[in-house]
Amino acid sequence: MRVFVSEREMGTREKIMKAARELFEQKGFASVTTKEIAQRAGVSEVTLFRHFKSKRSLFEETLRHCFHPYTMEDYLKNGVTYDLRTDLRHIAYDMLNTYKKNAPLIRMVLRDKFRGSTPERNVRKSEQMAQSSLLTYFTAMHEAGLLAAEPEMAMRLYTTNILGHFFRGLHGMAPGGDDDRYFDWMLDKIIGILEK
């Protein structure tokens, strides 16, 4: 059965998620109350619970909304060139930009994870979906004879490098504006390994 949501209801839902995101980033999952979220969104707590059955479901939907916008999946379905350098560069920037845009939320998830209070299932789920799509790409390249490396190991090497670069920047260990130089170097090295 398909459920239709009015534009007004969608606007309310978006306002609630925006308020929740701001508060989660500032205070962490455990410290934020649904009452605070509702107040910041300009709605009643009853309205919040009409849209989200619990604070946990609101948190998970907020994470999904933030991290799913990877255009990687769309690119791999509709824009892929099957030129390793072009595709991997496009995907690397897509991943990095998604991480950068959500850096405060990532910090909160990591901070709360160490405290044992973050239900970060959706972050892992989103990453698994992205990795599954990327693995499909690497497998297709391998089957076409354009990639000598084992697809799963190639995907891990590639994503680990992008995440590592992001986290170095997140912790102030990489100079700003270094993405082009790093990605050019990384792609040279990784493509050299993958094509052998």
Side-chain angles (χ1 to χ4, degrees), residues 71-91 94 137 141:
T71 56
M72 178 199 312
E73 291 172 25
D74 183 52
Y75 178 77
L76 290 172
K77 287 178 187 167
N78 304 312
V80 71
T81 66
Y82 292 101
D83 173 74
L84 208 51
R85 178 171 296 280
T86 300
D87 292 337
L88 295 185
R89 185 174 192 73
H90 178 91
I91 293 164
D94 185 45
Y137 171 77
M141 293 297 277

Side-chain angles (χ1 to χ4, degrees), residues 17-183:
M17 285 197 299
K18 182 180 183 297
R21 177 185 175 143
E22 290 169 359
L23 288 165
F24 289 142
E25 287 175 355
Q26 291 168 11
K27 300 171 98 178
F29 174 77
S31 299
V32 175
T33 66
T34 54
K35 185 176 182 176
E36 289 175 290
I37 295 168
Q39 285 175 337
R40 172 131 341 155
V43 300
S44 70
E45 213 172 353
V46 170
T47 300
L48 183 148
F49 285 118
R50 266 193 215 123
H51 289 272
F52 302 96
K53 63 183 177 188
S54 65
K55 181 172 86 167
R56 180 178 297 262
S57 70
L58 170 56
F59 179 74
E60 289 178 355
E61 180 62 19
T62 301
L63 286 178
R64 189 199 67 73
H65 183 74
C66 291
F67 288 97
H68 193 270
Y70 268 12
T71 56
M72 178 199 312
E73 291 172 25
D74 183 52
Y75 178 77
L76 290 172
K77 287 178 187 167
N78 304 312
V80 71
T81 66
Y82 292 101
D83 173 74
L84 208 51
R85 178 171 296 280
T86 300
D87 292 337
L88 295 185
R89 185 174 192 73
H90 178 91
I91 293 164
Y93 273 101
D94 185 45
M95 290 175 68
L96 185 66
N97 290 335
T98 298
Y99 294 144
K100 283 181 174 181
K101 185 176 80 180
N102 294 294
L105 199 56
I106 291 170
R107 279 191 190 97
M108 185 279 306
V109 169
L110 292 172
R111 184 181 63 235
D112 280 12
K113 183 179 174 94
F114 288 119
R115 293 179 189 154
S117 61
T118 300
E120 84 290 349
R121 261 189 319 233
N122 252 27
V123 173
R124 285 195 309 267
K125 189 189 228 179
S126 190
E127 283 301 307
Q128 288 166 351
M129 286 171 44
Q131 287 186 2
S132 176
S133 295
L134 197 51
L135 181 57
T136 300
Y137 171 77
F138 278 119
T139 301
M141 293 297 277
H142 182 72
E143 289 171 356
L146 300 170
L147 177 71
E150 196 274 310
E152 186 172 350
M153 292 299 127
M155 182 267 304
R156 285 186 190 178
L157 175 66
Y158 175 70
T159 56
T160 299
N161 271 277
I162 296 165
L163 279 168
H165 179 69
F166 167 71
F167 279 112
R168 283 181 54 83
L170 189 67
H171 296 294
M173 297 166 59
D178 200 28
D179 299 339
D180 287 334
R181 195 169 139 234
Y182 179 74
F183 282 150

